[in-house]
Amino acid sequence: MDPETPSIDIPKKAVRALKVRLQVVKKHLEPLLSKPINDVFSKLPVDQRYELEVLLSYSLNTLYYIYLRTQGSDPQKHEVVNELLRVQQYIQKLKKAQGKEAKPTMRVDKDAAARFIKSAISEGASENQKATADKKRKLEETVSISSDEDEDDQPAKKDAFSNHATLFLLSDMA
C-alpha cells in the first residue's frame, strides 16, 4: 500500500453499514411506497395524517441536509437547518397533542427534605430524652427503696460498691 494513499477500509465499512441501514428503511417504507400516496393518505385517520406529513417533511429536510454535507458545503449556513427546527417544533406539538410529550422527571425538594429530616431527628431526640428521664426516675426510685430497706435491716453497713454502681448507672443515663 502506498503511504500517501489513505486507507480505504474505513469508508468501505461505513458504506456497507449505510447500505444495511437503507435496506432496513426500505423494508419499513415498502407498505407506504407500494401504493399511491393519495390512497394511503386518504385512508388514514386525522392524527396519523398529521404524523405522516411531519414524517415526510422531516425526512426530506434531513436527506437534503445529508446531501449538502456530502457535497462539502456547510449545511449549518443553509436554510434547511431552520426548516428542520421548524419541523421539530411541529413534532413536539404533535407529541403534546397525543399526550406523548416528555414528562417532567421527579425532583427532590431539598429544603422540604431537610425540614422532614430535622423534624424527625428532633422528635426522636425528644422521645429519647423522655425515655431516659423515665428510666432515670425509675432507677432513682428503685435505689431509694432499696437503700431504705438496707437502712432498716443494717443501718450501719453500706456497700461502697453498690453506691458506686448506682452513681455509674445514673451518670450513664444522663
Side-chain angles (χ1 to χ4, degrees), residues 29-121:
L29 291 177
E30 192 173 314
L32 184 64
L33 299 175
S34 64
K35 301 173 188 171
I37 192 74
N38 290 336
D39 292 343
V40 174
F41 192 75
S42 64
K43 292 179 183 176
L44 291 175
V46 175
D47 59 337
Q48 289 182 356
R49 285 182 193 174
Y50 294 144
E51 285 181 23
L52 180 60
E53 287 178 2
V54 170
L55 170 76
L56 290 174
S57 177
Y58 192 76
S59 299
L60 290 173
N61 284 297
T62 303
L63 288 172
Y64 192 67
Y65 180 92
I66 293 169
Y67 171 76
L68 290 174
R69 296 253 345 234
T70 60
Q71 297 305 308
S73 65
D74 186 16
Q76 294 297 329
K77 296 178 182 177
H78 197 275
E79 190 62 30
V80 73
V81 174
N82 294 335
E83 188 64 21
L84 280 169
L85 292 174
R86 187 181 70 82
V87 173
Q88 285 175 349
Q89 288 175 347
Y90 281 117
I91 290 171
Q92 293 303 320
K93 287 180 183 180
L94 190 60
K95 285 182 179 181
K96 186 176 181 181
Q98 293 174 340
K100 296 179 184 177
E101 74 271 4
K103 305 283 188 237
T105 58
M106 297 293 287
R107 286 189 345 199
V108 175
D109 186 357
K110 292 178 183 177
D111 295 333
R115 289 192 303 269
F116 287 141
I117 293 170
K118 188 175 182 180
S119 173
I121 289 173

